Amino acid sequence: MFPAVSFLTAQTRTYKHPPEGMDLTPTEMTETNETAEQQSELAHTHNHDHDHDHTHDHDHQPAPSLNPELTREIEVEVGADEVSKAFKKVVKRYQKLARIPGFRAGKVPESLIRSKFAKEVRQEVLESLVSEPFRKAIDDQKLRPVSEPQLLDMQLFEGQPLKFKAAFEVAPEFEIAGYESVRVAKPEVALTNDEFDAELGRVLDAHATVEPVDEERALVDGDWAEIQFRGEVKDLAQTVTEDGVTNASQSAPITGEDVLIEVGGKNTLAAFNDALRGAKPGQELKFEVDYPADFGDNRLAGQTVSYDVTVKSIKRKTYPERDAEFAKQLGNYESWDDFEGKLREHAAGRKKDALENGAKDKMLEELIGKYQFPVPESFVQQQVDARLDRGLRALAQQGMKAEDMRKLDFGRLRAAQRDQAVNEVKVSMILDKIAEAEGVVVSDEDLDRELLMISMQSREPLETLRERLTKDGSLERIREQMRREKTGSVLYEKLAS
């Protein structure tokens, strides 16, 4: 078993970038760039994902190619006498164990064993002879393989010397001098009142009730208009035909059915507010919207869209009372003030984590750019496998069937993961070097806390979990991963300004 080296996407932890806010519709303004970054692209979710079973088959490469810059070969030879002894030993064991009709136990002729079990005997002989001389050869040459050895030019015949070559990758040698010179801007992580109001608004909106307004009247600020719309993006290149002015490029129209828009709402575009204010159910409206360049939907950012809108009805949203009773519905809160305090604390912590993780990512990108060195291809392929496995599990959770997964182009998917996998391997190797330089260690107490969390999440008894992870080598990989994450945090505190 050789060490896993992933940092950002290791088996023990995964990092994602889920958007924190509601999906934007063509009728809503985007948040400012700063807030959008804070609550979407920079948001990392720490997810303890310790299910290593591959629930979906995909095309793992049977024998990963090796990086020529890191590939080493050794030649090994075992004497003919040892080879003969190994064959005789294995054949005798098969004679004792074989149960063949017509022969008493232990009395099967040696010639029959050699013919009937030739492949199995040869494999056992090979396994018994290869390991020890291989280890001695790499020790003598002071080599440290980091990939499974690939046996080449194998020559194994009874009565003759065993000869083979073994190819494998070694760890790259590189220095990390100057890492202290990397600088990263420390973001302002304090939660603003507007951000808290947005968090609170999402909670209240999720528990609001929507009722129709029966009276015949026009829309006013505070109403929710239920609309149907169709929008055409105006093309800069237009042509004149017998039917009028048409777009040169035929982009798909933007449509919506039964969409609710708050008239006068701060997230509703001014053009929609102006058009809907004073309109009545059944009325058809035509107007244009000039979307700002920083609009959240890239399809619409900086575009002008011509809309046909039909007002279908007027709705009223009723929000729950902000009292202790509602707070208890939301969770184990003693009062509304208790809930607001916990919500503010949670939102502040999430913003802090998101912004700091984003800054750490930038710091790691700087380190990747600063140090150039080859990486073991076997590590890269392991990382590609890990990324694909997580992607397949996500697709399965979204409802994709196994037969549909098998139709995926895994060659293309693997190629698409490669660049990110290379960077992740580089980051882990750099952090391992810096951990040594900074003296970063993970204590047994830290590891115990991590195992306790895994145990609680997986509902596996702690000692059973510890025994299983120890046996399959995962325990040390978890410790290594924790060390890398701790090193990243130590480095951030040292370099951020």
Side-chain angles (χ1 to χ4, degrees), residues 209-275:
T209 57
V210 180
E211 300 173 352
V213 174
D214 295 330
E215 59 182 299
E216 294 185 8
R217 63 172 178 80
L219 285 161
V220 297
D221 285 357
D223 286 337
W224 289 79
E226 183 180 21
I227 67 169
Q228 172 186 327
F229 65 83
R230 177 186 176 89
E232 297 281 354
V233 178
K234 293 186 66 175
D235 201 327
L236 294 178
Q238 294 182 325
T239 59
V240 179
T241 68
E242 293 179 357
D243 298 324
V245 178
T246 60
N247 290 339
S249 60
Q250 299 299 317
S251 58
I254 303 162
T255 60
E257 294 281 346
D258 302 329
V259 176
L260 286 177
I261 304 174
E262 184 182 12
V263 179
K266 65 178 182 179
N267 287 328
T268 304
L269 287 168
F272 275 87
N273 283 329
D274 294 342

Side-chain angles (χ1 to χ4, degrees), residues 189-191 196 199 333 337-353:
V189 299
L191 188 73
F196 174 72
E199 288 280 346
Y333 305 107
D337 287 342
D338 182 30
F339 166 73
E340 280 200 351
K342 297 288 176 46
L343 178 66
R344 186 181 293 276
E345 181 180 323
H346 175 74
R350 192 171 65 232
K351 177 182 177 180
K352 179 176 183 292
D353 288 345

Side-chain angles (χ1 to χ4, degrees), residues 78 129 151 173 205 380 418 445:
V78 180
L129 293 177
L151 300 184
E173 295 184 4
D205 199 64
V380 174
R418 179 175 176 79
E445 291 77 12

Side-chain angles (χ1 to χ4, degrees), residues 454-471:
I454 300 170
S455 172
M456 294 170 63
Q457 292 180 347
S458 64
R459 298 182 181 179
E460 183 177 2
L462 180 58
E463 290 310 313
T464 303
L465 174 72
R466 188 192 302 274
E467 183 178 354
R468 176 174 64 81
L469 295 178
T470 301
K471 283 183 178 180

Side-chain angles (χ1 to χ4, degrees), residues 144-200:
R144 188 173 69 88
V146 295
S147 69
E148 293 285 355
Q150 298 179 8
L151 300 184
L152 311 170
D153 299 334
M154 175 66 66
Q155 300 176 34
L156 175 59
F157 302 98
E158 188 171 2
Q160 298 181 24
L162 164 64
K163 297 180 181 180
F164 67 89
K165 293 180 181 178
F168 49 84
E169 290 178 302
V170 296
E173 295 184 4
F174 64 97
E175 299 297 328
I176 53 166
Y179 69 87
E180 302 96 332
S181 64
V182 171
R183 287 292 174 264
V184 60
K186 183 175 286 190
E188 176 54 58
V189 299
L191 188 73
T192 67
N193 289 333
D194 285 345
E195 289 166 346
F196 174 72
D197 289 343
E199 288 280 346
L200 182 59

Side-chain angles (χ1 to χ4, degrees), residues 313-330:
S313 65
I314 301 175
K315 298 290 181 74
R316 178 187 296 113
K317 269 191 179 182
T318 303
Y319 295 93
E321 290 292 330
R322 305 182 189 186
D323 55 19
E325 183 179 350
F326 179 45
K328 290 176 182 177
Q329 293 178 21
L330 295 172

Side-chain angles (χ1 to χ4, degrees), residues 9 164 188 278 371 476:
T9 59
F164 67 89
E188 176 54 58
Y371 302 108
E476 280 310 304

